[in-house]
């Protein structure tokens, strides 16, 4: 069963929560003016776009008027229209952005580059539509090759998910390649890093667990050549839940970010 756009939105909102502090920090580095124009490439349902704010002198001002988003999935864009009512949204391919050169002060992406056919071409497009001195940011790209699962029995889920992502056309190791991609796309002053992880022992969040397992189940169904019985998925979920209750569960997918300036 694949997820509905609304279920994807729940997932994207959860992912956006993981990177909220980082986004705030990186946006402070670029000091956008209230008139700034920004574009999110692959904006999905608008989970990130709806949260982009820039700190001004005394308040957090929403940049609603200068906010643009593109995505190739129309059902997601329909939700984005509700979540970011002021934004200019278009259905387009990230490999060919429908904007003139030097149109934006900030061009960003969040969990996008792992999914595209040619990440370098997409980054070249992001650089092209950024004004000279403007910022190009890849805020979150995961690296499943560096995933840590504990207890050990749950490592199987990680291996299956990485294989499934690959079968769906994604690059499970995009994270480690990110800084090199930005440099190759001709961006200047590239800075990169990896998000840390925090866990709260014995604090079980049923909604987050549900959402996680919804995505795992969808991924397992997309796994080529192996059909995993529902009973096995249910057994692993019970193991996951028990480990979380005990406070011993670790699920850490290194998630990289990188940003640089257009010349
Ligand atoms: C994991 S979602 C992330 C959505 C959003 N950035 C967020 O973090 O909430 C990836 C999005 O990229 C879009 N996408 C993938 N390849 C694309 C392409 N070539 N052009 C435009 N959008 C693309 C998908 O439709 C999907 O909405």
């Amino acid at each position: 069963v694949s997820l509905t756009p609304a279920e994807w939105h729940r997932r994207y909102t959860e992912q956006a929560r993981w990177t909220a502090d980082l986004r705030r920090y990186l946006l402070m580095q670029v000091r956008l003016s209230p008139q700034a124009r920004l574009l999110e490439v692959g904006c999905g349902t608008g989970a990130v776009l709806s949260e982009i704010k820039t700190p001004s002198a005394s308040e957090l001002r929403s940049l609603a008027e200068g906010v643009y988003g593109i995505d190739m999935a129309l059902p997601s864009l329909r939700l984005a229209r509700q979540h970011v009512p002021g934004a200019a949204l278009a259905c387009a391919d990230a490999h060919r952005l429908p904007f003139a050169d030097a149109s934006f002060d900030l061009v960003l992406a969040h969990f996008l580059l792992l999914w595209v056919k040619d990440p370098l071409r997409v980054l070249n497009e992001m650089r092209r539509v950024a004004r000279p001195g403007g910022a190009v940011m890849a805020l979150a790209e995961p690296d499943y090759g560096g995933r840590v699962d504990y207890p050990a029995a749950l490592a199987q889920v990680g291996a299956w998910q990485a294989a499934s992502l690959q079968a769906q056309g994604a690059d499970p190791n995009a994270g480690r390649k990110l800084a090199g991609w930005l440099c190759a796309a001709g961006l200047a002053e590239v800075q990169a890093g990896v998000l840390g992880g925090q866990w709260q022992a014995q604090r079980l969040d049923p909604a987050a667990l549900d959402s996680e397992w919804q995505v795992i189940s969808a991924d397992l169904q997309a796994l080529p050549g192996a059909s995993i019985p529902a009973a096995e998925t249910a057994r692993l979920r019970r193991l996951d839940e028990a480990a979380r209750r005990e406070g011993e569960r670790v699920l850490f997918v290194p998630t990289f970010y990188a940003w640089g300036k257009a010349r």
Side-chain angles (χ1 to χ4, degrees):
V1 197
S2 61
L3 278 68
T4 65
E7 285 165 344
W8 277 120
H9 180 64
R10 195 156 67 112
R11 179 65 182 170
Y12 295 158
T13 305
E14 172 76 12
Q15 289 182 335
R17 220 166 42 80
W18 305 336
T19 62
D21 289 345
L22 172 71
R23 286 202 310 275
R24 214 167 295 130
Y25 169 74
L26 291 179
L27 284 174
M28 266 159 53
Q29 314 282 304
V30 296
R31 288 201 202 92
L32 291 175
S33 78
Q35 289 77 36
R37 284 158 55 97
L38 70 91
L39 166 69
E40 184 184 355
V41 180
C43 65
T45 59
V48 169
L49 211 48
S50 62
E51 292 236 316
I52 301 264
K53 288 173 188 194
T54 182
S56 70
S58 57
E59 50 171 15
L60 284 177
R61 181 184 183 284
S62 162
L63 279 169
E65 274 167 31
V67 172
Y68 291 71
I70 70 107
D71 200 285
M72 64 180 190
L74 205 50
S76 294
L77 282 173
R78 287 205 185 94
L79 285 186
R81 181 154 306 298
Q82 295 166 24
H83 299 138
V84 211
L89 302 171
C91 192
D93 182 353
H95 297 85
R96 279 178 296 274
L97 293 175
F99 301 103
D101 297 359
S103 297
F104 296 98
D105 301 283
L106 168 63
V107 183
L108 57 96
H110 187 254
F111 289 102
L112 169 74
L113 296 172
L114 81 157
W115 289 107
V116 303
K117 214 170 271 144
D118 187 346
L120 194 50
R121 181 159 164 197
V122 170
L123 281 164
N124 269 312
E125 278 291 272
M126 292 171 70
R127 177 185 47 72
R128 178 183 69 74
V129 302
R131 66 163 170 79
V136 172
M137 290 185 173
L139 290 169
E141 295 297 335
D143 192 300
Y144 288 88
R147 174 168 167 154
V148 180
D149 264 298
Y150 186 81
L154 289 162
Q156 179 63 63
V157 179
W160 279 335
Q161 262 191 307
S164 170
L165 280 175
Q166 207 146 22
Q168 294 172 63
D171 180 349
N173 294 342
R176 69 188 65 182
K177 302 173 187 170
L178 189 57
W181 284 340
L182 266 77
C183 291
L187 290 159
E189 300 174 43
V190 172
Q191 295 185 33
V194 66
L195 266 92
Q198 290 92 33
W199 291 265
Q200 272 180 303
Q202 270 109 17
R203 174 93 38 101
L204 193 69
D205 175 352
L209 187 75
D210 269 353
S211 165
E212 184 76 42
W213 276 91
Q214 215 169 11
V215 174
I216 292 172
S217 302
D219 280 347
L220 296 192
Q221 278 172 23
L223 200 60
S227 88
I228 294 147
E232 178 60 2
T233 314
R235 186 185 70 83
L236 288 166
R237 182 181 165 140
R238 281 196 303 276
L239 268 181
D240 185 8
E241 197 168 334
R244 287 177 198 232
R245 279 191 205 290
E246 293 302 314
E248 63 172 356
R249 175 69 164 126
V250 176
L251 193 184
F252 178 63
V253 179
T255 300
F256 288 72
Y257 67 87
W259 76 282
K261 291 186 181 165
R263 302 182 229 235

